[in-house]
């Protein structure tokens, strides 16, 4: 055996005696195993200072050792006199490491538990030990650490096992004491009717779904919501009941008209811990209802003359008997379903819908304000599967004549198989009873299915109960037809925005056309600036609760409504007093004709008073959709007066089957040069003005914007003007009168031009 080798422990069964001495080794004083050190608790090798025997001697020692262990003697005192005489000259010398040596090796062990030969020699030289002693010490130390770790793991597993055993006993006891809620007697599955048994199985499945979501919420939010009592006895619970609770007996909730600001105040806080179980149960049941409504046909959905889906309300009540509770008096039902294939993959669509900021931006024409109050679950496995969010949002029509619809709801996202997702909203107004509620969302949302080549099939369901008595007569037909807030408008907006987002990422830009911006960075910056312009326009044109409109004249539909705001420390707006003015009116011209007239730079001087009769020329443009009307343009106004400097106008025109917009803002030439070269567009000051065009809802085919058929248009004109560059200045009546005249003249010019063309 080579010098320094160690005899395996399994060959030495009786080496350590009861008194702690080592026996049965004969003359092998140079070969030792780790000896327990009772002072420092370490296994230390014995003294290695004696001469190391040769391989033949070691073999002989092993044989002698083997023979000595057969006698069963475990200590030196029990040996014969001859044996004792033979062992005395070769009695072992024990070596105990000093405290300094132990500390040094402990410190080295923390940094390197497995030192190599070079490190062991260096350490042995520093500590005055043999390299083999250092080697044995580290071996023993590693063994000790492994033993301690295994002992700790065993303790933990034993504790978990005890907990599971206790839970199992508790569940067994609960099952043994179960009683019937009707008669109080013991229950058994076999005594149930088939229908009752089926309901129990269905209810158990829903319970498991709720528990899973609750566990996810507890994991990510840190607030366990899994331990809650049943909302009703198990036998009486139906699989799709949405857990309605009567708060203080207010059956006529919503009969009286209150300001929506009251509702905002009442729901501004996140839900309480007691609310969360009900919210989760509502979300799970709403998800099932949405999936069924997205997939079912007749008799739930009937096809109207214009080819749209119309909900059979009687069949809906029979299919989903409880819903979100009884419909308040004076409320109407609005339900619609629309399907489209959009150019975006399903994962990106889910991310947009579950991110309140992205969702608000994409649907800026429909969502005026939105906020996430609390995230109950962020989902699992790095995606939104199982995500739960409590939200509040305000839905709008781009006109000050249509009140916005405030809604307090939970949004739930779930994956249904590979490539299929669903996102559902359902109102939580029963948790915050308020007479200001004017809109309740039944389970609404969309089913998203993966399609080849990065496309997705979207089936959108909008199902609400609403009090629309505040809608102006001019818009009643559009609202009641479902085209103002319905699924058609949501899907049309989504389809158009998906095309716009695809154009941002496009790299194969044709270079032959004059004025086409091909610089990739410049395209992204300009489209980002135009997006901010559109969002700013849409946020300031509706009858939102955040706005305080003042009517300037009369009581007719053409009344001009104005409001003011101070712009301070906002790099995206010029500082000072900004006056906004808006009005809505009807035109006996198709929406498509109005849109083409307003976006055409050749006819701009017919209505744009601020251009002072100058010639408008398009300098550059970016196409961002299939329709030629979907475009971002940079216009130059060549003033007729040569002493005046030329002005640049950034304009975005966009159209889809439900709505159209022409939005523009004067921009600084220097700032636009920076943007066109790929610079940051966030610091370009904008005050957008423009037009929102909607069908009047009277045409046979629903009044799509792209149709040139008969039917009128509803046009909203809105201006934003900086009336004073000092934010602390007071607004003068002269400024208000000027803006009023400006918007009135613009309206008259548009009416005159379009009436002549129509004639």
């Amino acid at each position: 055996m080579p010098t320094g080798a160690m005899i395996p422990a399994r060959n030495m069964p009786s080496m350590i005696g009861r008194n702690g001495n080592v026996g049965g080794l004969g003359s092998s004083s140079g070969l030792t195993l780790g000896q327990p050190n009772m002072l420092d608790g370490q296994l230390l090798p014995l003294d290695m200072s004696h001469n190391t025997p040769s391989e033949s001697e070691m073999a002989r020692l092993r044989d002698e050792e083997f023979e000595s262990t057969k006698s069963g003697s475990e200590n030196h005192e029990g040996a014969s006199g001859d044996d004792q005489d033979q062992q005395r000259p070769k009695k072992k010398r024990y070596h105990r490491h000093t405290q300094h040596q132990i500390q040094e090796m402990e410190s080295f062990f923390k940094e390197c538990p497995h030192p190599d030969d070079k490190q062991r020699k260096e350490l042995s030289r520093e500590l005055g030990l043999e390299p083999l002693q250092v080697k044995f010490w580290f071996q023993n130390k590693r063994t000790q650490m492994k033993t301690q770790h295994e002992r700790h793991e065993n303790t933990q597993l034993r504790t978990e096992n005890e907990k599971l055993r206790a839970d199992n006993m508790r569940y067994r006891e609960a099952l043994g004491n179960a009683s019937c809620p009707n008669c109080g007697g013991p229950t058994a599955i076999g005594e149930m009717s088939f229908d009752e048994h089926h309901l129990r199985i269905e209810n158990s499945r829903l319970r498991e779904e709720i528990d899973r979501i609750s566990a996810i919420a507890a994991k990510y939010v840190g607030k366990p919501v899994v331990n809650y009592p049943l909302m009703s006895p198990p036998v009486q619970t139906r699989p799709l009941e949405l857990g309605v609770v009567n708060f203080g007996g207010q059956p006529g909730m919503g009969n009286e008209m209150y300001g929506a600001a009251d509702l905002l105040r009442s729901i501004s806080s996140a839900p309480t811990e007691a609310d969360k179980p009900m919210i989760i149960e509502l979300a799970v049941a709403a998800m099932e209802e949405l999936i069924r409504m997205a997939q079912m046909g007749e008799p739930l959905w009937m096809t109207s003359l214009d080819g749209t889906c119309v909900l059979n309300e009687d069949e809906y009540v029979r299919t989903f008997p409880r819903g979100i509770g009884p419909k308040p008096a004076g409320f109407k039902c609005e339900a619609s379903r629309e399907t489209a294939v959009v150019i975006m993959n399903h994962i990106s669509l889910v991310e947009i819908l579950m991110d309140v900021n992205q969702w608000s931006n994409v649907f800026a024409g429909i969502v005026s304000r939105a906020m996430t109050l609390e995230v109950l679950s962020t989902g699992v496995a790095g995606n939104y599967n199982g995500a739960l969010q409590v939200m509040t949002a305000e839905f709008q029509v781009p006109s000050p004549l249509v009140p916005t619809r405030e809604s307090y709801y939970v949004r739930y996202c779930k994956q249904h198989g590979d490539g299929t997702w669903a996102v559902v909203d359902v109102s939580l107004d029963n948790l915050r009873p308020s007479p200001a509620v004017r809109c309740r969302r039944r389970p609404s949302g969309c089913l998203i299915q993966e399609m080849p080549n990065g496309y997705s099939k979207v089936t959108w369901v909008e199902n609400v109960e609403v009090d629309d008595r505040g809608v102006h007569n001019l818009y009643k037909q559009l609202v009641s037809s479902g085209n103002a807030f319905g699924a058609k408008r949501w899907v049309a907006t989504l389809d158009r925005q998906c095309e716009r987002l695809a154009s941002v990422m496009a790299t194969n830009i044709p270079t032959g056309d004059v004025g086409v911006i091909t610089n990739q960075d410049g395209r992204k910056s300009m489209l980002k600036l135009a997006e901010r312009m559109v969002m700013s326009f849409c946020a300031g044109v509706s009858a939102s609760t955040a706005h305080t409109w003042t009517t300037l004249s009369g009581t007719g539909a053409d009344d001009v409504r104005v409001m003011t705001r101070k712009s301070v420390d906002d790099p995206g707006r010029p500082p000072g007093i900004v006056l906004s003015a808006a009005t809505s009116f009807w035109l006996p011209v198709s929406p498509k004709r109005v849109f083409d007239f307003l976006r055409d730079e050749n006819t701009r001087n017919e209505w744009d008073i601020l251009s002072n009769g100058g010639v408008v020329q398009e300098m550059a443009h970016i196409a961002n959709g299939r329709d030629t009307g979907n475009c971002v343009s940079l216009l130059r106004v060549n003033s007729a007066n040569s002493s005046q400097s030329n002005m640049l106008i950034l304009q975005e025109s966009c159209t889809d089957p439900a709505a159209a917009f022409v939005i523009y803002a004067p921009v600084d030439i220097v700032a636009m040069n920076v943007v066109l070269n790929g610079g940051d567009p966030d610091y370009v000051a904008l005050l957008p003005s423009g037009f929102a065009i909607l069908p009047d809802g009277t045409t046979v085919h629903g009044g799509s914007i792209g149709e040139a058929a008969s039917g009128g248009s509803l046009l909203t004109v809105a201006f934003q003007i900086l009336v004073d560059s000092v934010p602390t200045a007071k607004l003068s009546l002269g400024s208000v009168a000027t803006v009023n005249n400006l918007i009135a003249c613009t309206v008259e010019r548009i009416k005159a031009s379009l009436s002549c063309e129509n004639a």
Side-chain angles (χ1 to χ4, degrees):
M1 180 179 291
T3 303
M6 182 177 178
I7 299 174
R10 61 177 177 270
N11 294 333
M12 310 170 74
S14 302
M15 293 170 62
I16 302 177
R18 285 188 297 272
N19 57 3
N21 298 325
V22 178
L25 287 181
S27 60
S28 59
S29 60
L31 289 169
T32 57
L33 281 174
Q35 184 73 0
N37 185 337
M38 304 306 293
L39 294 179
D40 55 47
Q42 305 297 328
L43 290 174
L44 304 175
L46 299 181
D47 192 356
M48 300 295 298
S49 59
H50 285 63
N51 295 330
T52 304
S54 64
E55 292 186 14
S56 59
E57 290 176 333
M58 292 183 69
R60 180 177 56 79
L61 287 172
R62 279 200 301 270
D63 295 338
E64 291 176 357
E65 166 192 311
F66 215 41
E67 292 298 326
S68 66
T69 56
K70 292 180 181 179
S71 64
S73 174
E74 294 184 354
N75 55 59
H76 293 176
E77 296 176 359
S80 65
D82 294 339
D83 291 338
Q84 288 180 4
D85 292 339
Q86 292 176 1
Q87 290 175 359
R88 282 193 192 101
K90 299 178 182 179
K91 186 176 181 181
K92 289 182 178 51
R93 287 177 49 217
Y94 296 93
H95 176 83
R96 189 181 303 279
H97 298 316
T98 65
Q99 194 66 26
H100 171 71
Q101 291 171 335
I102 293 172
Q103 289 177 352
E104 289 297 321
M105 286 190 287
E106 288 276 7
S107 300
F108 197 91
F109 183 85
K110 291 179 181 178
E111 298 179 2
C112 180
H114 293 270
D116 55 23
D117 290 340
K118 184 178 179 181
Q119 290 171 319
R120 286 198 298 269
K121 289 178 181 179
E122 182 69 24
L123 195 58
S124 65
R125 186 169 61 253
E126 292 177 359
L127 301 179
L129 297 173
E130 293 292 331
L132 203 56
Q133 289 178 289
V134 176
K135 178 180 179 180
F136 288 161
W137 188 91
F138 274 87
Q139 286 179 345
N140 293 335
K141 181 66 176 177
R142 288 194 297 268
T143 302
Q144 182 193 44
M145 296 301 292
K146 181 180 179 181
T147 303
Q148 290 177 353
H149 180 68
E150 291 176 348
R151 187 181 298 115
H152 178 68
E153 282 190 342
N154 288 339
T155 303
Q156 283 186 321
L157 291 173
R158 192 179 297 110
T159 303
E160 291 294 329
N161 194 20
E162 291 297 330
K163 288 182 180 179
L164 291 174
R165 186 179 290 107
D167 289 342
N168 192 18
M169 293 298 296
R170 188 168 67 253
Y171 293 148
R172 286 177 179 273
E173 184 179 353
L175 287 173
N177 297 330
S179 60
C180 175
N182 296 323
C183 65
T187 60
I189 296 294
E191 298 173 1
M192 297 181 187
S193 66
F194 176 80
D195 291 339
E196 194 174 70
H197 181 46
H198 177 73
L199 288 175
R200 286 225 178 195
I201 294 174
E202 186 72 9
N203 188 56
S204 176
R205 186 182 63 78
L206 289 175
R207 273 289 156 199
E208 291 175 358
E209 177 79 0
I210 295 168
D211 290 343
R212 186 182 67 82
I213 298 169
S214 301
I216 296 168
K219 177 180 178 182
Y220 285 91
V221 185
K223 300 176 181 178
V225 293
V226 292
N227 297 322
Y228 54 88
L230 290 174
M231 296 171 58
S232 57
V235 175
Q236 299 174 356
T237 303
R238 294 298 183 265
L240 293 179
E241 288 179 1
L242 297 187
V244 178
V245 176
N246 184 12
F247 288 85
Q250 298 181 8
M253 186 169 60
N255 290 344
E256 300 180 41
M257 298 295 290
Y258 287 84
D262 297 333
L263 178 61
L264 269 178
R265 284 191 291 270
S266 68
I267 65 174
S268 60
S269 59
T272 64
E273 290 295 325
D275 294 334
K276 291 178 183 178
M278 182 183 295
I279 291 174
I280 293 171
E281 190 163 350
L282 272 166
V284 172
M287 177 62 72
E288 270 201 35
E289 180 174 322
L290 174 71
I291 297 299
R292 294 177 66 185
M293 290 194 69
Q295 297 175 341
M296 291 176 69
E298 295 184 0
L300 182 64
W301 292 99
M302 309 298 289
T303 304
S304 62
L305 294 176
D306 60 357
T308 59
C309 284
V310 178
L311 183 67
N312 183 338
E313 186 66 23
D314 293 336
E315 184 65 25
Y316 173 78
V317 173
R318 282 193 295 269
T319 308
F320 311 103
R322 286 291 298 275
I324 57 173
K327 182 175 64 176
F331 277 44
K332 296 180 179 179
C333 297
E334 284 184 16
S336 55
R337 184 175 69 178
E338 194 77 16
T339 301
V341 176
V342 299
I343 182 171
M344 183 176 288
N345 70 70
H346 59 296
I347 299 298
S348 298
L349 280 177
V350 170
E351 290 177 351
I352 288 174
L353 295 173
M354 298 306 295
D355 184 325
V356 67
N357 293 323
Q358 292 190 62
W359 176 65
S360 301
N361 293 346
V362 168
F363 296 101
I366 306 176
V367 181
S368 60
R369 290 193 298 165
M371 179 171 56
T372 299
L373 298 178
E374 183 166 354
V375 177
L376 300 184
S377 170
T378 57
V380 294
N383 57 40
Y384 285 104
N385 185 22
L388 272 169
Q389 301 175 1
V390 177
M391 306 174 64
T392 179
E394 205 173 26
F395 305 106
Q396 67 173 346
V397 168
S399 169
L401 301 182
V402 182
T404 56
R405 295 180 174 182
E406 183 87 27
S407 188
Y408 171 58
Y409 58 94
V410 59
R411 176 164 292 179
Y412 175 34
C413 176
K414 185 179 179 182
Q415 183 177 10
H416 298 268
D418 292 337
T420 302
W421 291 73
V423 178
V424 66
D425 299 342
V426 62
S427 277
L428 300 175
D429 298 307
N430 285 311
L431 301 181
R432 299 284 190 276
S434 170
V437 174
R438 292 201 301 266
C439 177
R440 304 201 309 167
R441 288 179 74 74
R442 293 170 172 177
S444 304
C446 61
L447 183 66
I448 304 169
Q449 296 170 282
E450 182 182 14
M451 301 285 285
N453 302 321
Y455 284 75
S456 299
K457 180 182 178 182
V458 177
T459 302
W460 201 289
V461 175
E462 276 295 303
N463 193 8
V464 299
E465 298 168 352
V466 63
D467 182 354
D468 62 358
R469 287 174 290 181
V471 178
H472 193 281
N473 288 333
L474 200 61
Y475 282 83
K476 275 196 176 294
Q477 181 66 31
L478 176 68
V479 172
S480 62
S481 68
N483 290 325
F485 293 95
K488 177 181 179 180
R489 188 165 170 229
W490 284 96
V491 169
T493 302
L494 178 63
D495 186 26
R496 172 172 54 80
Q497 289 287 51
C498 287
E499 288 187 6
R500 192 184 194 281
L501 292 171
S503 70
V504 175
M505 308 305 296
T507 56
N508 54 341
I509 309 300
T511 58
D513 296 340
V514 178
V516 174
I517 300 175
T518 57
N519 178 11
Q520 188 71 9
D521 293 334
R523 286 172 58 87
K524 288 183 178 180
S525 293
M526 189 166 170
L527 286 171
K528 186 178 178 182
L529 180 61
E531 180 185 47
R532 175 161 65 86
M533 178 179 69
V534 171
M535 288 190 296
S536 177
F537 173 84
C538 293
V541 74
S542 69
S544 170
T545 56
H547 304 156
T548 304
W549 291 103
T550 301
T551 304
L552 292 184
S553 60
T555 57
D558 288 357
D559 294 341
V560 177
R561 289 162 170 79
V562 297
M563 64 177 173
T564 61
R565 71 173 184 272
K566 295 179 181 179
S567 177
V568 183
D569 296 331
D570 186 352
R573 291 192 182 97
I577 301 294
V578 177
L579 181 64
S580 300
T583 188
S584 298
F585 57 97
W586 178 78
L587 284 169
V589 184
S590 69
K592 178 175 174 52
R593 184 69 201 94
V594 177
F595 174 70
D596 290 339
F597 169 75
L598 293 173
R599 75 179 181 87
D600 189 353
E601 69 269 17
N602 296 320
T603 58
R604 190 182 187 95
N605 57 8
E606 294 184 29
W607 58 265
D608 189 358
I609 299 173
L610 297 180
S611 63
N612 294 322
V615 178
V616 181
Q617 178 185 3
E618 183 182 73
M619 296 177 59
H621 71 272
I622 302 173
N624 56 7
R626 292 188 299 264
D627 194 297
T628 56
N630 289 327
C631 180
V632 175
S633 305
L634 189 61
L635 309 175
R636 180 173 62 193
V637 180
N638 299 314
S639 176
N641 187 350
S642 59
S643 63
Q644 294 181 352
S645 61
N646 292 337
M647 180 175 61
L648 289 182
I649 295 176
L650 177 66
Q651 175 177 294
E652 174 157 356
S653 58
C654 50
T655 180
D656 58 53
F661 296 89
V662 178
I663 302 167
Y664 61 92
V667 290
D668 181 70
I669 296 177
V670 176
M672 284 309 300
N673 281 329
V674 174
V675 171
L676 290 174
N677 288 321
D680 187 0
D682 291 342
Y683 293 96
V684 179
L686 290 175
L687 279 179
S689 302
F691 308 92
I693 310 160
L694 296 171
D696 61 5
T698 58
T699 55
V700 176
H701 298 291
S704 294
I705 298 293
E707 297 169 357
S710 61
S713 303
L714 297 173
L715 180 62
T716 297
V717 182
F719 287 143
Q720 289 189 87
I721 298 176
L722 185 69
V723 296
D724 200 311
S725 59
V726 180
T728 56
K730 292 186 178 180
L731 183 66
S732 66
L733 292 177
S735 299
V736 176
T738 300
V739 172
N740 187 24
N741 291 332
L742 175 64
I743 200 168
C745 290
T746 302
V747 170
E748 289 303 319
R749 286 191 175 197
I750 292 172
K751 285 182 176 180
S753 298
L754 288 174
S755 296
C756 291
E757 291 186 9
N758 196 42

